[in-house]
Amino acid sequence: MNDWPEGWSDSDRGNRYGGGSANAQPESPRVMRQVRRGPAAPPQSAGVPPQPSYVNGQGYGDYTNAQNTGYDSGYSSGEVYGGGGDSGGPGGYDTRAPRPAPNWRRRIKWTAITVLTVLVVTSVGTYFWADGKLKREVDLSKVIDRPEGGDGTNYLIVGSDSREGLSAEEKKELHTGSAEGKRTDSMMILHVGSNGDTLVSLPRDSDVEIPTFVGSESGKTYKGTGRHTKLNAAYATDGPELLVRTIEFNTGLRIDHYVEIGFAGFANIVDAVGGVEITIDKAFKDKYSGADFQAGKQTLNGEEALAFVRTRHAFAASDLERTKNQQKFLAALAHEVATPGTVLNPFALYPTMSAGLDSLIVDKDMGLYDLGSMFFAMKGVNGGDGTSLNMPISGSSGGNLVWDKTKVKQLVNELNNDEKVTVTGN
């Protein structure tokens, strides 16, 4: 069988270049039939498109016709063969466009937006959480015949001896006793103004007149009889509303907000901040409060702090010395709470806030902003930005401390006019 194309024979091979001929001219190109790999193509039949022919050594003939017939010749104008992988180009080279450099300005912007959003959401959540924990139980609208308000804001801060929430074991540990009801162990007026803040302690044994008042629970009017008694008796008689009424009547200073904290709450706040550092000038001991302190700088826990602010029997000046210690410690406590270690540490901040808010009783108009203003004013007094003093005393009567009326009047005028306080107390 002749394997040469039709019309060719061995004799046609002649003298050709590369075919053993000495002819110097290369042989002309041969027209080779198409060689297919794999099994032979099936014979064409109806429904099979005609195969394009190999023309003049230039590849397939009518490529357009081949496309129109749907035949895939294996050749294309732009297809790349042989990659077979994910390299993206011939020979395994990646021809994809390079990844653009990171847009740091955009990243920083969105990071800042995310952080700001988290802070806002956390702050709003904390605000509503804290606001919901405030016990707004004191209604100052029940107080009658109130003096005109002056410049600045006046807070009445009361430390009560309430044993509410204390177990028998805790009462023993804190040396609180088991007396029923509530009395006031400490009373202070904090004036917050533009010319410096002022903290004035009101000794519990201060001699005051109980004026006409309306009962906070009964709504009944009780006429004043001119009776004089200790200031803390007003609280014991009809609670915070009568205490505010009595202070306003005897001083002429309007009280804007009321804040009260009991024994348990006070001790819990101190423990929540990890104790409060304070310097004790002189050692003292008191079996009634459980105090037993050496002189010098030391850190007091909740139990020790409560003993420190309650002690009066160990001092010759009794209640006057106790009020000074109360001012000193409360200012130190406010300073400790405001340190970065507490404010910036949620594991310290939230327990401290919870301990404080759970134990505070405030007036119905008190807001978190007012509470914060009071807190930072206390801190300012401790830092030397304000003034602290006892209510000026002129003497005593029947065991009660009598206020110096001239100095008290001057003090109240300076506070009402939001002037720097020049009066000194005992």
Side-chain angles (χ1 to χ4, degrees):
M1 183 180 203
N2 192 349
D3 292 332
W4 294 101
E6 184 179 354
W8 283 34
S9 66
D10 288 343
S11 61
D12 291 325
R13 298 172 67 180
N15 296 329
R16 302 195 180 276
Y17 184 78
S21 171
N23 193 338
Q25 297 296 327
E27 59 181 317
S28 59
R30 299 175 182 175
V31 179
M32 300 294 291
R33 69 176 178 176
Q34 178 183 359
V35 180
R36 302 178 61 87
R37 295 182 181 179
Q44 295 183 4
S45 61
V48 178
Q51 300 293 322
S53 60
Y54 201 87
V55 180
N56 297 327
Q58 301 300 318
Y60 287 98
D62 191 349
Y63 182 71
T64 304
N65 291 338
Q67 283 184 318
N68 293 337
T69 60
Y71 176 75
D72 184 2
S73 66
Y75 294 87
S76 67
S77 57
E79 291 186 10
V80 179
Y81 291 85
D86 296 332
S87 60
Y93 293 100
D94 192 350
T95 59
R96 291 175 296 184
R99 175 179 291 181
N103 188 334
W104 288 109
R105 291 185 61 184
R106 181 182 178 86
R107 290 188 178 186
I108 292 173
K109 182 185 79 171
W110 283 108
T111 299
I113 291 174
T114 301
V115 171
L116 181 61
T117 300
V118 171
L119 288 176
V120 170
V121 171
T122 302
S123 299
V124 172
T126 300
Y127 175 88
F128 283 105
W129 167 77
D131 188 71
K133 293 178 76 69
L134 277 179
K135 299 177 182 177
R136 298 181 174 91
E137 300 177 1
V138 179
D139 190 355
L140 296 183
S141 67
K142 295 179 179 179
V143 180
I144 62 172
D145 300 333
R146 308 193 69 186
E148 292 293 326
D151 296 329
T153 304
N154 298 315
Y155 298 84
L156 177 59
I157 304 171
V158 174
S160 76
D161 64 357
S162 171
R163 281 84 173 165
E164 183 179 354
L166 293 177
S167 65
E169 183 178 352
E170 289 172 329
K171 291 177 182 178
K172 182 178 180 180
E173 290 178 354
L174 298 176
H175 300 272
T176 64
S178 299
E180 297 297 328
K182 294 194 300 183
R183 283 159 292 278
T184 54
D185 266 7
S186 61
M187 290 161 282
M188 304 178 188
I189 295 175
L190 175 65
H191 174 82
V192 179
S194 57
N195 285 308
D197 306 316
T198 304
L199 185 63
V200 182
S201 286
L202 311 176
R204 55 172 281 179
D205 294 338
S206 296
D207 185 83
V208 294
E209 179 183 341
I210 302 296
T212 298
F213 68 96
V214 174
S216 59
E217 297 294 334
S218 65
K220 181 180 177 180
T221 299
Y222 296 88
K223 292 291 184 180
T225 61
R227 177 174 68 97
H228 280 243
T229 185
K230 288 181 171 61
L231 179 59
N232 67 336
Y235 183 94
T237 300
D238 197 54
E241 288 83 2
L242 180 55
L243 178 61
V244 171
R245 166 72 175 133
T246 301
I247 291 174
E248 290 185 342
F249 177 81
N250 285 270
T251 63
L253 184 69
R254 185 184 180 95
I255 301 300
D256 299 298
H257 292 294
Y258 178 92
V259 180
E260 177 184 326
I261 186 170
F263 282 164
F266 182 81
N268 288 340
I269 294 174
V270 174
D271 286 335
V273 297
V276 175
E277 185 178 83
I278 195 169
T279 300
I280 298 177
D281 299 327
K282 185 178 180 180
F284 64 89
K285 188 174 182 178
D286 181 15
K287 66 178 182 178
Y288 296 99
S289 67
D292 187 3
F293 297 108
Q294 300 299 315
K297 182 180 293 186
Q298 50 205 286
T299 299
L300 307 186
N301 61 25
E303 178 184 345
E304 295 166 337
L306 188 58
F308 180 78
V309 300
R310 292 184 61 221
T311 297
R312 66 188 180 105
H313 296 284
F315 309 124
S318 187
D319 205 37
L320 290 177
E321 187 66 27
R322 175 168 66 173
T323 56
K324 292 179 181 179
N325 284 341
Q326 289 170 350
Q327 289 179 350
K328 182 177 183 179
F329 187 85
L330 288 178
L333 174 59
H335 177 76
E336 184 66 35
V337 171
T339 59
T342 300
V343 175
L344 300 180
N345 182 2
F347 297 102
L349 176 62
Y350 283 96
T352 301
M353 291 179 62
S354 182
L357 295 171
D358 281 341
S359 57
L360 289 181
I361 296 175
V362 299
D363 65 271
K364 293 184 180 297
D365 294 326
M366 174 74 86
L368 289 179
Y369 176 82
D370 302 306
L371 196 61
S373 177
M374 182 196 81
F375 170 78
F376 283 104
M378 290 284 292
K379 179 177 179 293
V381 170
N382 178 68
D385 295 333
T387 304
S388 60
L389 69 153
N390 277 326
M391 186 65 81
I393 304 296
S394 62
S396 62
S397 175
N400 296 346
L401 298 174
V402 179
W403 292 349
D404 187 322
K405 293 183 179 180
T406 301
K407 287 188 175 181
V408 169
K409 184 177 180 180
Q410 180 184 348
L411 173 64
V412 170
N413 285 337
E414 290 175 341
L415 294 178
N416 276 332
N417 295 323
D418 199 18
E419 299 172 350
K420 187 171 181 60
V421 171
T422 60
V423 175
T424 57
N426 298 75

